[in-house]
Amino acid sequence: GENVEQHPSTLSVQEGDSAVIKCTYSDSASNYFPWYKQELGKRPQLIIDIRSNVGEKKDQRIAVTLNKTAKHFSLHITETQPEDSAVYFCAASGSYQLTFGKGTKLSVIP
Amino acid sequence: DAGVIQSPRHEVTEMGQEVTLRCKPISGHNSLFWYRQTMMRGLELLIYFNNNVPIDDSGMPEDRFSAKMPNASFSTLKIQPSEPRDSAVYFCASSSGISGNTIYFGEGSWLTVV
């Protein structure tokens, strides 16, 4: 089955700096790569996703890149703000099942 | 739309008791998922239903766990008997398709077994 590795597990950045979270996956058949943000005590919520026919996607301060050859994808957050502090999960899917990474706890220091 | 609705939001129960978690997926969604989240193991898929039929239950940890989906708008996850190691957040999620469709999570059921 699919295996998703996510790094780093924790990340601290100063407000205004950029944050990058990286994931690798094992199943070359995977073609859908969403990112979820989970605030403390809340549910995971989709923030951005990318499909295998696209190399990069951007939504305001958030961007995701995908390298299918290397089987890795990354989340980039620019101009970080305190409200970006949360746990971020990457996931990969080739069928019905989303396989999640272990999560990255992002702390944005004011 | 009200989103995925789960109940109870919080439950504390004694070891050995039966626990039933409930879920109402988003109307029109034909895929339903039960996930378990713990610090140690992260988000794990327990079972997946498509059109009310269980497709993959390989993530169900053991026979103490069972799940049903009697109709398109209701699912249950039952633990009998419960054990302290079952303490976790259980999320129900739904989506409108199979591959490449966004999965929407409910608020979760926070289970503590003492």
Side-chain angles (χ1 to χ4, degrees), chain B:
Chain B
D1 198 313
V4 177
I5 300 172
Q6 292 187 244
S7 64
R9 290 295 317 280
H10 300 271
E11 177 145 350
V12 180
T13 191
E14 291 185 347
M15 186 173 82
Q17 295 299 305
E18 178 179 293
V19 174
T20 299
L21 308 178
R22 297 173 178 80
C23 175
K24 176 177 168 36
I26 292 172
S27 178
H29 282 190
N30 62 353
S31 295
L32 183 139
F33 309 82
W34 282 100
Y35 285 89
R36 178 172 66 177
Q37 186 175 36
T38 61
M39 288 294 293
M40 292 298 295
R41 300 174 68 88
L43 271 166
E44 303 174 275
L45 177 65
L46 300 178
I47 188 168
Y48 158 63
F49 291 89
N50 184 249
N51 292 324
N52 313 338
V53 177
I55 303 299
D56 182 0
D57 65 355
S58 59
M60 296 287 264
E62 48 199 274
D63 292 345
R64 297 184 298 106
F65 285 69
S66 63
K68 293 182 180 179
M69 192 166 185
N71 57 62
S73 59
F74 184 66
S75 177
T76 59
L77 177 67
K78 187 173 292 186
I79 308 172
Q80 166 64 17
S82 58
E83 297 182 2
R85 60 193 170 115
D86 301 331
S87 298
V89 184
Y90 291 83
F91 287 104
C92 178
S94 70
S95 75
S96 60
I98 304 179
S99 177
N101 284 82
T102 301
I103 290 179
Y104 297 90
F105 286 84
E107 298 279 8
S109 292
W110 298 67
L111 174 64
T112 302
V113 183
V114 298

